[in-house]
């Protein structure tokens, strides 16, 4: 059976199984929209949950529809448990990159963009990102983001160095931060780049993949027929991996021990011990609070040999396959993409409990929302520019094994200054080819 046929059959069977179990479960009342409430899950801690709650409260106030909101931190584990019970949440908001995995498991329903009121305010290119391998759209776009280069402006200006415009400039700035006492305390206690360089969960992939694209390399090529080709083994990718290795192997350019660090282990920018961080825009408010907004600048992505492409991610609103509340699913999704709701979830305001919300809409999907104006912060225009010049991995397939292959290879080269980068790239290429064949995706 071809990959496309297996995917279509698997999704259909999975959806039927989930729906059938739901009818027998305690939660499967069969009342449809009659109870006037809807269950929604997000992957959220307290601060991001507060951001969602602002919009959910506004929705209930306008419509009278009650929302059973569950912020879940162990999201994937608990979602699978609910799937086994045949009782998925009616809606859930999670990574756009999970689309292919959810479709193959039959956890989500297709969406007709034309039937979504306000869907025409989302660019067609954004809707197209949500096309599954079977050609259907899954999930309503909710938020997008791209990695940005954040720099300690006060350190840079204290050393009299211009904002970096190229890879070479970025390396030179990192070396200066490590060797020229940018904080002026007379101590040798600062470094250049913060890098979550662990292979765990693909951390080094997320950090390093923009440099692969900026060198002109790539990972998988979509053949346009549901199959892919591995294209990692190129001179351009070797150039990128060699440059990454150089950063790790030049004392001070990268925080020592970064090959073992995840994002949970990288407080260095906020602590004032490192001055450059390629990261997501969600960290801006935290950095502003810790070191002062005037000291935190976003610089356009320093250019590699082939450009300035960044890495983008996002979140979608997914319709749970076991739900019998289609009308409520649609109504809530339509509200969440309105300018009103998108703006509510872009603000860092305290709720009644005193919890300051961490914004969950980064780059709004509604094209009528001006992110810089809503934030009253021109830096966010640079975030939007980074997103406009960005790429993401294929969302129509389960990309996780491919991400892990690349992350393991990148981490191995970064951890060994004597490693042959070209040989490492060839090894990754072979593993990607084997994974495509095992998944029935090779073309």
């Amino acid at each position: 059976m071809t990959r496309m046929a297996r995917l279509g059959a698997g999704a259909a069977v999975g959806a039927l199984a989930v729906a059938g179990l739901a009818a027998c479960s305690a939660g499967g009342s069969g009342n449809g929209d009659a109870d006037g409430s809807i269950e929604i899950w997000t992957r959220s801690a307290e601060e991001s949950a507060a951001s969602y709650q602002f919009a959910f409260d506004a929705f209930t106030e306008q419509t009278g529809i009650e929302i059973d909101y569950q912020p879940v931190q162990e999201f994937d584990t608990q979602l699978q448990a609910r799937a086994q019970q045949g009782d998925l949440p009616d809606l859930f908001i999670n990574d756009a990159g999970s689309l292919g995995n959810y479709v193959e498991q039959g956890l989500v329903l297709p969406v007709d963009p034309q039937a979504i009121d306000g869907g025409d305010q989302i660019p067609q290119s954004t809707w197209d990102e949500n096309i599954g391998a079977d050609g259907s759209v899954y999930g309503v776009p909710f938020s997008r983001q791209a990695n940005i280069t954040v720099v300690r402006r006060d350190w840079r200006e204290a050393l009299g160095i211009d904002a970096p415009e190229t890879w070479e400039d970025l390396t030179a700035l990192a070396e200066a931060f490590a060797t020229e006492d940018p904080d002026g305390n007379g101590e040798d206690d600062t470094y250049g780049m913060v890098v979550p360089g662990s292979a765990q969960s693909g951390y080094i992939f997320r950090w390093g993949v923009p440099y692969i694209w900026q060198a002109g390399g790539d990972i998988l090529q979509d053949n346009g027929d549901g199959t892919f080709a591995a294209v990692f083994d190129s001179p351009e990718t070797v150039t990128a991996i060699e440059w990454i290795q150089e950063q790790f192997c030049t004392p001070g350019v990268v925080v020592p021990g970064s090959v073992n660090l995840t994002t949970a282990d990288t407080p260095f920018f906020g602590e004032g011990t490192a001055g450059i961080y390629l990261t997501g825009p969600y960290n801006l408010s935290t950095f502003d609070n810790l070191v002062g907004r005037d000291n935190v600048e976003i610089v356009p992505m320093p250019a590699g040999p082939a450009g300035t492409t960044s890495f983008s991610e996002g979140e979608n609103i997914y319709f749970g396959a076991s739900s019998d509340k289609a009308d409520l699913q649609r109504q809530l999704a339509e509200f969440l993409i309105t300018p009103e709701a998108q703006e509510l979830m872009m603000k860092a305001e305290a709720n009644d409990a005193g919890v300051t919300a961490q914004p969950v809409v980064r780059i709004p999907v509604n094209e009528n929302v001006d992110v810089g104006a809503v934030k009253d912060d021109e830096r966010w225009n640079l975030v939007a520019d980074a997103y406009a010049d960005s790429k993401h991995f294929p969302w129509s397939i389960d990309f996780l094994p491919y991400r892990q292959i690349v992350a393991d290879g990148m981490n191995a080269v970064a951890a060994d200054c004597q490693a042959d980068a070209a040989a490492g790239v060839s090894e990754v290429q072979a593993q990607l080819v084997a994974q495509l064949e095992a998944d029935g995706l090779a073309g």
Side-chain angles (χ1 to χ4, degrees):
M1 183 179 289
T2 67
R3 164 70 178 186
M4 189 68 72
R6 285 194 293 110
L7 177 60
V13 170
L16 287 171
V18 169
L21 286 171
C24 300
S25 70
S29 64
N31 291 331
D33 299 343
D35 63 0
S37 66
I38 186 167
E39 181 183 20
I40 183 167
W41 281 19
T42 67
R43 184 197 301 271
S44 300
E46 184 179 35
E47 293 79 10
S48 56
S51 181
Y52 284 112
Q53 194 67 60
F54 286 141
F56 297 154
D57 289 345
F59 175 76
T60 297
E61 182 177 352
Q62 291 184 20
T63 65
I65 298 169
E66 296 294 331
I67 292 179
D68 176 10
Y69 172 41
Q70 303 292 328
V72 180
Q73 295 194 53
E74 297 297 328
F75 190 94
D76 296 319
T77 300
Q78 294 195 39
L79 188 70
Q80 292 297 325
R82 286 286 294 268
Q84 290 297 317
Q85 298 167 17
D87 186 24
L88 290 163
D90 300 301
L91 267 78
F92 49 97
I93 299 175
N94 199 27
D95 299 336
S98 296
L99 185 149
N101 192 22
Y102 290 158
V103 171
E104 187 160 9
Q105 293 186 70
L107 303 184
V108 296
L109 298 173
V111 175
D112 178 5
Q114 302 301 318
I116 301 295
D117 189 19
D120 57 351
Q121 297 175 36
I122 298 175
Q124 185 60 47
S125 59
T126 305
W127 278 112
D128 289 346
E129 293 175 339
N130 284 11
I131 296 176
D134 61 357
S136 297
V137 173
Y138 291 89
V140 177
F142 172 74
S143 173
R144 295 295 186 259
Q145 64 194 49
N147 282 2
I148 52 174
T149 301
V150 184
V151 172
R152 280 293 297 264
R153 181 200 302 271
D154 52 334
W155 288 13
R156 182 180 62 76
E157 292 181 346
L159 300 180
I161 301 175
D162 292 336
E165 296 182 358
T166 65
W167 283 6
E168 292 75 15
D169 294 343
L170 186 64
T171 299
L173 182 63
E175 286 190 282
F177 282 172
T179 61
E180 298 182 23
D181 190 23
D183 60 359
N185 69 353
E187 302 290 335
D188 183 16
D189 59 358
T190 55
Y191 301 98
M193 301 181 195
V194 180
V195 180
S198 170
Q200 176 188 332
S201 301
Y203 281 105
I204 194 171
F205 170 89
R206 280 188 162 87
W207 175 82
V209 73
Y211 301 118
I212 293 174
W213 289 328
Q214 289 165 20
D218 212 336
I219 301 166
L220 299 181
Q221 176 180 287
D222 189 339
N223 294 327
D225 59 359
T227 67
F228 292 81
V231 293
F232 197 75
D233 192 7
S234 71
E236 292 80 8
T237 300
V238 172
T239 294
I241 299 301
E242 288 177 340
W243 185 83
I244 289 170
Q245 184 183 46
E246 178 186 350
Q247 308 316 298
F248 277 84
C249 295
T250 304
V253 166
V254 170
V255 173
S258 290
V259 290
N260 299 314
L261 300 180
T262 70
T263 53
D265 309 316
T266 51
F268 311 106
F269 191 96
E271 289 182 348
T273 54
I276 302 170
Y277 199 174
L278 177 61
T279 186
Y282 41 79
N283 279 320
L284 280 177
S285 59
T286 299
F287 294 160
D288 289 353
N289 291 334
L290 292 172
V291 303
R293 175 170 166 173
D294 290 344
N295 298 328
V296 181
E297 69 177 339
I298 299 173
V299 300
M301 191 71 77
T308 58
T309 303
S310 187
F311 169 57
S312 57
E313 299 179 282
E315 291 76 40
N316 289 331
I317 305 164
Y318 294 105
F319 292 10
S322 64
S323 176
D324 57 359
K325 300 183 177 182
D327 186 56
L328 295 186
Q329 286 176 318
R330 178 186 54 76
Q331 287 187 60
L332 181 53
E334 289 173 346
F335 177 76
L336 292 174
I337 63 173
T338 62
E340 174 190 357
Q342 295 260 294
E343 291 179 20
L344 280 172
M345 293 180 285
M346 291 168 63
K347 296 180 178 179
E349 296 181 351
N351 62 15
D352 292 341
V355 176
T356 299
Q358 182 183 62
V360 292
V361 172
R362 283 92 187 212
I363 300 299
V365 296
N366 191 305
E367 59 188 358
N368 294 321
V369 180
D370 183 335
V371 63
V374 173
K375 295 280 192 180
D376 190 24
D377 185 346
E378 63 183 15
R379 295 176 302 175
W380 278 88
N381 295 323
L382 293 174
V383 178
D385 290 344
Y387 175 67
D389 183 17
S390 68
K391 293 175 62 173
H392 57 79
F393 54 73
W395 291 344
S396 61
I397 63 173
D398 181 3
F399 189 74
L400 292 183
Y402 303 93
R403 184 186 73 183
Q404 194 60 52
I405 289 168
V406 177
D408 288 339
M410 292 173 67
N411 179 267
V413 174
D416 181 2
C417 297
Q418 304 305 314
D420 184 331
V425 166
S426 295
E427 175 61 25
V428 169
Q429 171 74 7
Q431 293 181 42
L432 292 173
V433 169
Q435 187 68 46
L436 286 170
E437 292 175 349
D439 289 344
L441 288 169

